[in-house]
Amino acid sequence: MSKKNKILGILWSDEKIVVSQLERSGRTFRLTKSGQFLLADKCKPENFSKDPSGFLEFMRDNGFKCDRAVVGLSGKHAVGTAMQMPPLKDMSMLPGILRFNLEKQTMLHSDDTLIDYSGTPGSAAGSIFVVSVLKKKIDAIKKVLLAARVKPVSLTLRVLAAEPSDVSGLTCQIVVEPGSTEIAVMQNGQIKTMRYIPLSVAGPSDVSVARKVSGEFGNLLAGQAASNTPVRVRLVNNSDHSGLRQAIADISDKIQFVEPDQQIDYGDCSGSCCLAADLALKYLSDEKYQIDLLNSHINDKKESSLRKYLPRAIAVAAILLAAIAYLILDWRSDVDAVASYKNQIELIAEEVKEAQNVIDRVSYARKWYDKTPRYLEDLKELTLLFPERGDVWLNSLAVDEEFDQVITGKAVEERAVLDVLNKIEQSEHFTNVKMLYIRQTAKNSEVVSFAINFQYGQGN
């Protein structure tokens, strides 16, 4: 069988690596092999890449011999950011604008990340969704696969493998795993928002998972959908959470659940292996991924104006004097270039001011690395007081020069907030602890928001 008709679909997370081998014969697709390689607890890709011998043995034992793969990365390792774009007449400015905004919003240096976007920037103002992943994570994954003699040809996000074939209107993909859930909301094929939700793996009840996931889904949907807009939802790997479908359906009477197209005979393989096969199917079907960090949209080369008009210029040169034609073209190019540069200067004038502010802040922050900063010690002691389960999470942390600070956040229930408050009060590192407020986020939800004020260092 031709190598072009065979590929591996690989889902990569900190918990496991799922591999499915898909083969195409004409219009028929067949899942020939699949398996799951479990990783050690909290095994990061960069650590695992130092000794991938166990994975190599897994690939040999399962008979995976394909030398190409499409990788779907867990949303835990990706940062998704919605960006408002100004009108662009010169698309060559796009990479610089994206990387500048990425550094401004996430404080990640563009040289340390791979980015791609979903959307259509152009002559009219609009929004796009930008996804960034640290290069060191991608390099670690590449290193492991190359050790197994597998070349990654595309690298996208796991949740995008569940994308329905009909992407018109408002569509949502929800991928449920024992330790996490990922949600992607799309409008007419363009990603609008995404969310990675960690879940407790110590025997989570169907009710608690359904409540948490449906609550997050409802919050995402509220910012994207009009009240009368139908919402098509594909729910993947939900066999262990039977109440989740009903909890999502209760959010709105406009929810319509869709099932995957039966283009593949999955057999009796697990839900994760089926999703890996779906990822491979998109590649063999010559479909483009919304996000592809190895073949990013911003790396597409735009055809130059000279090459576009070269045949016409040759025809004109055959009639007119070559010198006159050259002067006209050169003069016109200079006029367009001057106009373009003026437009660029007008567009980035405000951005330059903001960039200088970012540079000033970064220059100030670099001095922290020469000493042990009290701000980091403060953050460390505060972090240790929060539970690992993820029942409480912070939205913001504000600290002044006197280390008087205010934290705001949300929790699945009021008890979780009070436990954290009690730990802060008992800590020898914090004083003057005050609960500013604690209240429900919605009438029919147990999720609460809170704010706590305290001071660091006075008790030492």
Side-chain angles (χ1 to χ4, degrees):
M1 177 171 290
S2 170
K3 292 183 178 180
K4 294 183 179 180
N5 291 327
K6 180 170 63 175
I7 198 165
L8 299 177
I10 299 179
L11 304 182
W12 198 297
S13 67
D14 285 351
E15 295 80 27
K16 60 185 178 181
I17 304 173
V18 182
V19 184
S20 290
Q21 182 168 306
L22 192 68
E23 298 181 2
R24 180 178 66 180
S25 177
R27 296 184 179 181
T28 302
F29 298 91
R30 186 164 59 98
L31 178 59
T32 57
K33 299 179 181 68
S34 64
Q36 302 186 42
F37 178 75
L38 301 180
L39 295 168
D41 290 343
K42 300 180 181 179
C43 182
K44 297 181 179 180
E46 49 267 39
N47 295 331
F48 175 56
S49 65
K50 297 177 182 178
D51 181 18
S53 57
F55 178 69
L56 304 187
E57 184 178 351
F58 160 80
M59 295 289 284
R60 288 193 299 267
D61 291 346
N62 285 273
F64 294 113
K65 296 182 180 180
C66 186
D67 60 358
R68 301 182 308 149
V70 181
V71 181
L73 190 62
S74 167
K76 179 180 180 180
H77 301 297
V79 177
T81 308
M83 290 187 183
Q84 295 298 319
M85 297 297 297
L88 291 179
K89 295 182 180 179
D90 184 358
M91 293 302 293
S92 65
M93 298 175 58
L94 179 61
I97 292 176
L98 291 184
R99 294 189 181 279
F100 173 79
N101 279 280
L102 176 68
E103 292 185 4
K104 184 176 67 173
Q105 295 186 30
T106 66
M107 297 303 290
L108 295 173
H109 198 282
S110 61
D111 292 340
D112 298 329
T113 58
L114 292 177
I115 65 175
D116 196 9
Y117 69 89
S118 173
T120 310
S123 58
S127 64
I128 63 174
F129 192 84
V130 181
V131 174
S132 59
V133 177
L134 289 176
K135 282 183 179 178
K136 66 178 183 179
K137 294 188 180 296
I138 304 301
D139 291 341
I141 292 173
K142 284 180 170 181
K143 184 177 179 180
V144 173
L145 293 179
L146 292 177
R149 297 183 178 180
V150 175
K151 178 183 177 181
V153 293
S154 289
L155 195 148
T156 184
L157 299 179
R158 176 172 63 180
V159 67
L160 298 183
E163 183 180 351
S165 57
D166 181 6
V167 295
S168 60
L170 195 63
T171 60
C172 304
Q173 295 84 254
I174 304 178
V175 177
V176 182
E177 290 286 349
S180 65
T181 291
E182 296 181 45
I183 303 174
V185 180
M186 305 175 68
Q187 182 77 44
N188 296 326
Q190 176 181 339
I191 301 174
K192 306 303 291 184
T193 186
M194 299 175 66
R195 183 68 54 85
Y196 174 85
I197 307 170
L199 301 174
S200 173
V201 296
S205 68
D206 187 55
V207 174
S208 64
V209 169
R211 182 175 59 187
K212 186 170 184 178
V213 174
S214 62
E216 291 285 353
F217 178 69
N219 292 337
L220 292 179
L221 205 60
Q224 304 296 333
S227 58
N228 59 347
T229 302
V231 183
R232 289 181 294 114
V233 178
R234 180 179 175 188
L235 192 59
V236 182
N237 294 2
N238 66 324
S239 58
D240 296 329
H241 306 286
S242 57
L244 180 56
R245 179 183 289 260
Q246 184 60 49
I248 292 174
D250 290 341
I251 295 175
S252 169
D253 58 0
K254 300 299 181 181
I255 300 292
Q256 301 173 358
F257 289 98
V258 296
E259 301 301 327
D261 298 332
Q262 293 297 321
Q263 300 185 55
I264 305 173
D265 181 8
Y266 298 109
D268 58 353
C269 70
S270 68
S272 295
C273 292
C274 294
L275 190 62
D278 289 342
L279 188 67
L281 174 66
K282 292 174 72 69
Y283 187 87
L284 290 184
S285 300
D286 296 324
E287 296 183 31
K288 293 184 177 180
Y289 302 100
Q290 284 287 316
I291 298 295
D292 190 341
L293 295 164
L294 297 185
N295 307 285
S296 174
H297 291 81
I298 68 170
N299 292 329
D300 290 342
K301 295 182 178 179
K302 184 181 178 182
E303 183 182 17
S304 67
S305 298
L306 179 60
R307 180 173 297 178
K308 182 177 180 180
Y309 294 111
L310 186 58
R312 187 178 302 174
I314 293 174
V316 174
I319 301 173
L320 302 176
L321 294 175
I324 296 176
Y326 174 79
L327 291 174
I328 292 175
L329 291 173
D330 185 63
W331 170 79
R332 185 59 189 172
S333 176
D334 290 342
V335 171
D336 291 341
V338 170
S340 175
Y341 293 146
K342 287 182 179 179
N343 188 41
Q344 292 180 32
I345 292 173
E346 292 175 356
L347 286 173
I348 68 174
E350 292 299 324
E351 303 288 354
V352 169
K353 294 180 181 179
E354 295 185 20
Q356 186 59 50
N357 291 334
V358 172
I359 292 172
D360 292 341
R361 291 197 298 270
V362 172
S363 298
Y364 174 77
R366 279 177 179 159
K367 294 184 290 186
W368 291 7
Y369 292 90
D370 298 330
K371 303 176 182 179
T372 301
R374 293 188 65 205
Y375 290 102
L376 295 182
E377 293 295 334
D378 174 15
L379 185 58
K380 171 187 174 184
E381 297 299 337
L382 179 60
T383 302
L384 292 175
L385 300 180
F386 278 74
E388 295 183 359
R389 296 189 306 273
D391 294 341
V392 182
W393 59 97
L394 293 185
N395 291 335
S396 67
L397 166 63
V399 187
D400 63 16
E401 294 181 355
E402 300 299 326
F403 284 86
D404 189 17
Q405 49 201 297
V406 174
I407 59 174
T408 65
K410 292 183 180 180
V412 297
E413 60 182 357
E414 184 176 317
R415 180 71 262 166
V417 179
L418 297 178
D419 288 344
V420 171
L421 176 66
N422 185 49
K423 290 181 180 179
I424 297 176
E425 290 175 337
Q426 293 179 1
S427 173
E428 63 179 4
H429 300 284
F430 302 102
T431 59
N432 301 326
V433 182
K434 299 177 183 178
M435 172 67 77
L436 300 182
Y437 67 81
I438 179 171
R439 55 177 175 258
Q440 287 182 302
T441 58
K443 184 177 180 181
N444 297 323
S445 173
E446 294 187 11
V447 176
V448 298
S449 60
F450 66 89
I452 303 174
N453 173 230
F454 50 87
Q455 194 165 25
Y456 171 73
Q458 301 303 314
N460 292 342

